[in-house]
Amino acid sequence: MYATTDTLATSPATQGGRSRWLALYTLCAGMLMIVLDVTVVNVALPAIQDDLGFSSSSLAWVVNAYLIAFGGLLLLAGRLGDLLGRRNVFTAGLIVFTAASVLCGLARTQELLVIARFVQGVGGALTSAVILGMIVTLFPEPREQAKAIGVYAFVASAGGSIGLLAGGVLTQAISWHWIFFVNLPLGVLTAALAVKLIEKDKGLGIGKGTDVPGAVLITAALMVGVFTIVKPAAELGWTAPRTLTLAAVTLVLLAGFVAREATAANPLVPLRIFRSRTLTGANLIQALSSSGMFGIFFLGSLYLQRVLGYDALQIGLAFLPTTVVMGLLSVKYSEKLVMRFGPRRPLIVGLSLIVVGLALFTQAPVGGNYFVHVLPVLALLGLGGGICFPALMGLSMSDVKPEDAGLASGLIGTMGEVGAALGLAILATLSATRTAGATTKSPLEALTTGYHFSFGVAAAIVAAAVVVAITVMRPAKQPVAVESDEDELLLEAA
């Protein structure tokens, strides 16, 4: 079942219709800040390196410091939202993120920038982890919920390509400092609107989940795991002794966390939440699809830059069709598709379109033409993402009790973040390895060979998500009434 008013009967959705939508736009504004930050910083990395004197290896910490804090704290932040009140955690996260952004912009040393980026990741985790849980409580009615999740999914999925454009404009027109300074007015305004427009929720109380050992274990496990992916695995290889050692540490910490949660009186993450086949399947699909999609946006940008000779602004403009198509579908049509066919069918179709787009990217040549070899790929990615991601977000929350909404929201975010980091590390490593072993005489042909191989692997990863969607996600047992033009259709939800 996609959603019912029964499962969310205790939700605080007492606000008027207009104010609820204003609250949704406020939540999405907070999410947009977080999503934009990732790609905006990536575009500005060369300018940051030149200004602060980073080496090629140390420059990675500008990104990794943020990812480690963000990915490590998402799950804990989501549970804190359930315990302390989601609006409180959302607002606190905005304040931390905004203050850290100002420090990033003021940074004149490598050390200060890296530390500020870590704090920024803490604020980003607090802000984004509770958003989806707040949306499903604001919109308990299935049709409105599907539409609201469509808006959220567009911001979460397509905002990155907007960041490519914004980063190019700000870096080239002013300086890299302003990619952080722009967060100050946005953060202050969003926090003020959150206090005004979002109804305050009490939360369960800290006594319902003060599992300090569990919090330490899961946070440490996620941080070590993300660090392993973005640092030693990406730089030294997956079989390097340091990589294997840290991977073992991660597994030990995860095992300790599971053992703790199985015996704790008030667990941080009640293991009963994983009894839901729908929630477990949705999180697995999120991890797989994020692995394929995030890595391809990164490697696709490199293909445009290194092979076709695009600059930062041109790359941002090149990815705009993905944003436009995804936005149109997510905001205007995803709710209609979900209500007519149920979430499972759009999920399968959307993921399949992404697989086709990624497979098509393996044919982009050295002297590729944007309109022939790139635009069709980006259009398919936007089309598939706009269809599948709203359905996936809805499925991830459909069987969740109101008191666990923040936890489930943080969980789906964690799977996306870890999946993206894992996918990027795997695809970038495979691309570099294939390029180094290429027998072609032209350096551009060698680069393209490496990119093609990674595009194919990404297509296989997302294809695995299609298999999970078909085999794990069960069709709903009850039909969903659909308002058609004839007002007479009653279709079984998939």
Side-chain angles (χ1 to χ4, degrees), residues 392-453:
L392 179 61
M393 293 301 102
L395 281 168
S396 70
M397 304 296 294
S398 61
D399 287 343
V400 177
K401 296 179 180 179
E403 62 269 22
D404 294 328
L407 171 61
S409 177
L411 182 62
I412 195 74
T414 299
M415 290 298 101
E417 187 67 22
V418 173
L422 181 61
L424 178 57
I426 291 174
L427 296 177
T429 301
L430 291 175
S431 176
T433 302
R434 181 56 64 96
T435 295
T439 57
T440 57
K441 295 181 179 180
S442 167
L444 290 182
E445 289 181 0
L447 275 174
T448 304
T449 299
Y451 295 145
H452 283 178
F453 184 69

Side-chain angles (χ1 to χ4, degrees), residues 36-366:
L36 286 178
D37 187 77
V38 177
T39 48
V40 163
V41 172
N42 283 339
V43 171
L45 284 176
I48 293 173
Q49 182 177 20
D50 292 340
D51 191 20
L52 298 185
F54 279 98
S55 65
S56 297
S57 59
S58 63
L59 182 65
W61 279 106
V62 177
V63 176
N64 293 345
Y66 180 90
L67 289 177
I68 291 168
F70 187 80
L73 291 171
L74 270 172
L75 193 57
L76 175 59
R79 190 54 177 168
L80 287 176
D82 293 330
L83 301 176
L84 303 177
R86 291 170 205 135
R87 193 190 77 170
N88 292 335
V89 172
F90 176 78
T91 307
L94 283 174
I95 294 171
V96 172
F97 183 86
T98 303
S101 296
V102 174
L103 286 177
C104 288
L106 294 173
R108 293 295 184 270
T109 65
Q110 298 178 17
E111 293 78 12
L112 178 57
L113 180 59
V114 170
I115 292 171
R117 286 286 288 162
F118 184 90
V119 178
Q120 223 187 0
V122 174
L126 292 171
T127 299
S128 60
V130 296
I131 292 177
L132 192 55
M134 297 171 77
I135 290 175
V136 298
T137 56
L138 279 170
F139 298 92
E141 194 276 321
R143 182 175 294 277
E144 285 191 335
Q145 186 181 110
K147 186 174 182 179
I149 288 178
V151 176
Y152 165 81
F154 162 63
V155 172
S157 302
S161 56
I162 299 175
L164 291 172
L165 180 59
V169 171
L170 289 171
T171 302
Q172 292 185 12
I174 312 176
S175 76
W176 67 266
H177 299 277
W178 282 91
I179 67 172
F180 298 111
F181 285 145
V182 293
N183 288 332
L184 178 58
L186 294 175
V188 171
L189 178 61
T190 304
L193 290 174
V195 173
K196 181 177 178 61
L197 296 174
I198 300 174
E199 189 172 291
K200 187 175 182 180
D201 54 318
K202 286 184 62 177
L204 300 174
I206 199 68
K208 293 293 185 179
T210 50
D211 179 17
V212 176
V216 172
L217 285 168
I218 189 57
T219 302
L222 289 171
M223 283 189 172
V224 173
V226 173
F227 172 79
T228 304
I229 293 168
V230 300
K231 192 65 177 172
E235 295 180 359
L236 304 176
W238 292 93
T239 58
R242 188 180 182 191
T243 303
L244 295 176
T245 299
L246 288 174
V249 171
T250 301
L251 292 176
V252 170
L253 289 170
L254 284 174
F257 170 72
V258 172
R260 168 65 188 178
E261 300 311 280
T263 57
N266 292 312
L268 177 73
V269 181
L271 297 182
R272 57 176 166 73
I273 197 172
F274 296 105
R275 295 173 186 167
S276 168
R277 181 169 176 169
T278 299
L279 180 140
T280 303
N283 278 275
L284 182 56
I285 293 170
Q286 170 78 331
L288 290 170
S289 59
S290 297
S291 295
M293 286 285 284
F294 188 84
I296 284 309
F297 277 115
F298 176 78
L299 292 173
S301 297
L302 290 180
Y303 168 77
L304 293 176
Q305 178 187 29
R306 296 180 179 179
V307 178
L308 300 188
Y310 285 27
D311 60 27
L313 184 57
Q314 288 174 318
I315 292 173
L317 291 171
F319 278 98
L320 273 183
T322 302
T323 304
V324 173
V325 174
M326 191 178 293
L328 182 64
L329 284 168
S330 298
V331 176
K332 190 171 179 62
Y333 297 108
S334 64
E335 167 258 335
K336 295 178 182 179
L337 290 171
V338 168
M339 294 308 300
R340 179 160 183 166
F341 299 107
R344 183 172 173 267
R345 290 179 188 171
L347 175 63
I348 294 171
V349 170
L351 289 172
S352 299
L353 289 172
I354 293 173
V355 173
V356 173
L358 294 174
L360 190 61
F361 216 175
T362 63
Q363 305 305 308
V366 171

